[in-house]
């Protein structure tokens, strides 16, 4: 598969304050409409669409415009609530609210209300982008909406103070605590200053070991340290972090990719196993395989006569997957990008897989990859998605190539935020 060339992410362009006739900074009353993808709700004022944060459908609020777009819409914050919705609650985080930390979207919403909003978003995206009418229920994970985040990236300002950025801004809001982050991980970063750093990655593993990696202002790693339970002084890392999911122990790089919520990996593995329903002797293709979580969970089901091929682009993740799957001879790890040309070549060598599992990044697999996979003719495609819009677009591409959405589960893997994780089952129509 061709080597991927990484490009730095483009920074959002700031709008001139007067680009829309002086809308930025204006305040006006609106009645808020439905929730939209991205942590805001839709309202209208003087013929313009206004995407409003810190509100709920049905509320009457005062909006302050924070950004004007020349495409006929603007963004704003609800700075005063005139008629609150029943699901509105006091924010548990003192840093949340208009103009403050942008890390959370729904601190002002009850947990049950958040589940309903996320279900509405998934349902709307599948309807608008895939033309499907799907009944969606978002399942809560154990532990509640706080202290669930086991992995995070905190920004660091020019004085060395750690925090998170304001919404759609590069400004850093210094924090003493982050109530959605596991306390050992939060305090390992927020209780000290980080001179000469641009950001700090932190992860808490299942053994209680906290790993921090400092990054420079270009995002390049500088130093990694670990703090073990009961220790007062961090040390150099030795080996990988430990995780547990699906009845197995897993190794990952200290701050490398793993599901952020401690209960998410088990929930997603259960959904994937249920949808895939693999049989002895079958062939499974596991794409964007990471440290081998799904491939390792599926391998026992295909037995000694079966085959599981895990494809991952990241070298460190592939090394971890090799270690994690070493006791499963039917599981193989291939390093390479998941693109249409590489998949066509891989499928030519592999033959028709019985099951395809894919867990792409937020942008989704894309039309080209989806069409190549649909052409492979697997009896089941299990799609794990962290973005409902990308999922809906790819479901539409599979639909055009002869597959239909047979089932869907959604999980609240990111409480207090607008993010939701979905697992979809696609079968040949």
């Amino acid at each position: 598969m061709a080597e991927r060339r990484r490009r730095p992410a483009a920074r959002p362009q700031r709008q001139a304050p007067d680009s829309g006739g002086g809308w930025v900074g204006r305040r006006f009353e609106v009645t808020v409409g439905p929730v939209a993808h991205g942590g805001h709700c839709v309202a209208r004022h003087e013929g313009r669409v206004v995407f409003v944060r810190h509100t709920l459908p049905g509320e009457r609020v005062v909006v302050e415009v924070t950004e004007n777009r020349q495409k006929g819409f603007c963004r704003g914050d609800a700075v005063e609530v005139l008629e609150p919705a029943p699901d509105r609650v006091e924010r548990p985080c003192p840093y949340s609210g208009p103009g403050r930390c942008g890390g959370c979207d729904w601190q002002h919403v009850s947990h049950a209300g958040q589940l309903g909003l996320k279900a509405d978003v998934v349902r709307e995206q599948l309807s608008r982008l895939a033309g499907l009418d799907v009944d969606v229920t978002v399942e809560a994970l154990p532990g509640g909406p706080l202290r669930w985040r086991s992995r995070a990236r905190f920004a660091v300002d020019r004085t060395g103070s750690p925090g998170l950025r304001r919404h759609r801004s590069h400004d850093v809001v210094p924090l003493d605590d982050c109530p959605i982050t596991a306390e050992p991980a939060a305090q390992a970063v927020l209780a000290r200053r980080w001179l000469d750093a641009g950001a700090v990655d932190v992860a808490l593993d299942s053994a209680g070991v906290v790993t921090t990696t400092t990054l420079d202002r270009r995002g390049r790693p500088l130093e990694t340290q670990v703090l073990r339970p009961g220790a007062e002084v961090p040390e150099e890392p030795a080996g990988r972090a430990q995780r547990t999911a699906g009845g197995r122990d897993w190794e990952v790089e200290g701050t490398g990719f793993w599901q952020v919520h401690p209960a998410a990996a088990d929930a997603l593995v259960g959904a994937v196993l249920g949808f895939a329903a693999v049989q002895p002797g079958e062939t499974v293709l596991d794409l964007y395989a990471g440290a081998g979580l799904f491939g390792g969970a599926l391998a026992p089901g295909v037995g000694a006569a079966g085959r599981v091929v895990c494809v991952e682009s990241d070298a460190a993740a592939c090394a971890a997957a090799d270690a994690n799957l070493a006791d499963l001879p039917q599981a193989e790890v291939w390093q390479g990008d998941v693109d249409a040309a590489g998949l066509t070549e891989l499928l030519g060598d592999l033959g028709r897989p019985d099951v395809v599992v894919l867990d792409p990044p937020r942008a989704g697999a894309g039309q080209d990859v989806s069409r190549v996979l649909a052409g492979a003719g697997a009896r089941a495609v299990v799609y794990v998605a962290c973005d409902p819009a990308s999922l809906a677009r790819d479901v539409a591409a599979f639909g055009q190539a002869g597959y239909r959405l047979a089932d869907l589960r959604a999980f609240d893997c990111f409480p207090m935020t607008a993010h939701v994780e979905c697992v979809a089952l696609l079968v040949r129509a």
Side-chain angles (χ1 to χ4, degrees):
M1 297 184 181
E3 181 181 356
R4 179 185 302 165
R5 296 183 180 272
R6 301 186 182 277
R7 298 182 179 179
R11 292 186 175 183
Q13 298 295 313
R14 294 182 180 272
Q15 295 291 313
D18 59 353
S19 63
W23 274 67
V24 173
R26 282 185 61 183
R27 291 192 175 195
F28 44 79
E29 293 183 17
V30 296
T31 298
V32 179
V35 65
H37 182 34
H40 47 250
C41 297
V42 180
R44 294 183 180 274
H45 183 72
E46 295 182 2
R48 291 175 65 85
V49 171
V50 187
F51 293 112
V52 188
R53 284 175 58 82
H54 309 290
T55 190
L56 280 161
E59 290 188 328
R60 185 75 180 169
V61 300
V62 176
V63 174
E64 180 176 323
V65 177
T66 58
E67 182 181 349
N68 184 73
R69 308 295 290 186
Q70 296 176 350
K71 295 182 179 180
F73 69 89
C74 56
R75 305 181 190 274
D77 289 339
V79 295
E80 183 179 355
V81 180
L82 306 176
E83 298 176 11
D87 281 318
R88 177 172 286 274
V89 297
E90 290 294 324
R91 297 180 177 89
C93 177
Y95 299 100
S96 175
R100 299 176 185 172
C101 171
C104 292
D105 306 293
W106 302 122
Q107 286 269 342
H108 60 288
V109 187
S110 70
H111 194 200
Q114 294 178 38
L115 300 179
L117 292 173
K118 295 181 184 189
D120 289 343
V121 169
V122 175
R123 189 181 303 111
E124 187 271 338
Q125 293 296 303
L126 287 169
S127 174
R128 184 170 62 86
L129 298 175
L132 300 175
D133 183 11
V134 180
D135 185 25
V136 180
T137 299
V138 176
E139 303 173 40
L141 298 184
L146 298 177
R147 298 299 183 194
W148 55 268
R149 194 173 189 98
S150 65
R151 182 170 55 87
R153 172 171 291 183
F154 291 96
V156 179
D157 69 15
R158 295 289 179 179
T159 72
S161 297
L164 292 169
R165 301 190 187 277
R166 302 183 197 277
H167 181 62
R168 296 178 62 83
S169 170
H170 297 290
D171 297 337
V172 178
V173 178
L175 305 177
D176 293 323
D177 191 15
C178 175
I180 68 169
T181 302
E183 193 166 4
Q187 290 308 305
V189 177
L190 301 178
R192 56 167 290 191
R193 297 179 70 189
W194 301 82
L195 298 176
D196 301 323
V200 182
D201 285 344
V202 63
L204 175 69
D205 76 2
S206 57
V209 177
V210 177
T211 303
T212 57
T213 299
T214 54
L215 310 172
D216 67 15
R217 298 202 173 275
R218 294 187 178 182
R220 297 175 297 194
L222 297 173
E223 181 184 29
T224 296
Q225 292 184 322
V226 299
L227 183 64
R228 302 188 183 280
E232 296 182 359
V233 179
E235 59 189 62
E236 294 297 317
R240 299 184 177 94
Q242 302 300 309
R243 306 284 185 175
T244 302
R248 291 175 60 88
D249 293 327
W250 304 86
E251 294 182 354
V252 295
E253 294 304 307
T255 52
F257 177 78
W258 187 259
Q259 288 296 326
V260 177
H261 195 296
D266 269 330
L268 296 176
V269 164
V272 169
L273 287 174
F275 283 169
V278 295
Q279 301 297 317
E282 288 192 319
T283 296
V284 176
L285 180 59
D286 178 18
L287 302 176
Y288 314 92
L293 174 64
F294 298 128
L298 291 165
V302 303
R307 188 181 186 189
V308 176
V309 176
C310 304
V311 181
E312 168 58 44
S313 64
D314 183 76
C318 284
D322 276 328
N324 290 326
L325 307 180
D327 64 325
L328 298 168
Q330 66 271 53
E332 310 164 29
V333 179
W334 295 24
Q335 183 178 354
D337 290 334
V338 180
D339 55 32
L343 273 179
T344 300
E345 180 180 349
L346 172 62
L347 289 166
D349 295 336
L350 184 65
R352 183 183 69 83
D354 298 286
V355 176
V356 174
V357 177
L358 64 160
D359 184 9
R362 192 166 300 280
Q367 284 197 357
D368 292 343
V369 166
S370 298
R371 288 169 179 165
V372 170
L373 290 176
R379 67 165 177 79
V381 176
V382 184
Y383 190 127
V384 183
C386 59
D387 184 89
S390 298
L391 171 65
R393 285 190 290 267
D394 289 344
V395 166
F398 272 98
Q400 293 167 1
Y403 278 73
R404 63 178 179 86
L405 179 63
D407 208 343
L408 178 78
R409 293 182 69 183
F411 299 93
D412 188 26
C413 297
F414 310 92
M416 297 295 187
T417 78
H419 301 298
V420 58
E421 198 89 8
C422 296
V423 182
L425 172 62
L426 299 162
V427 299
R428 285 181 286 183

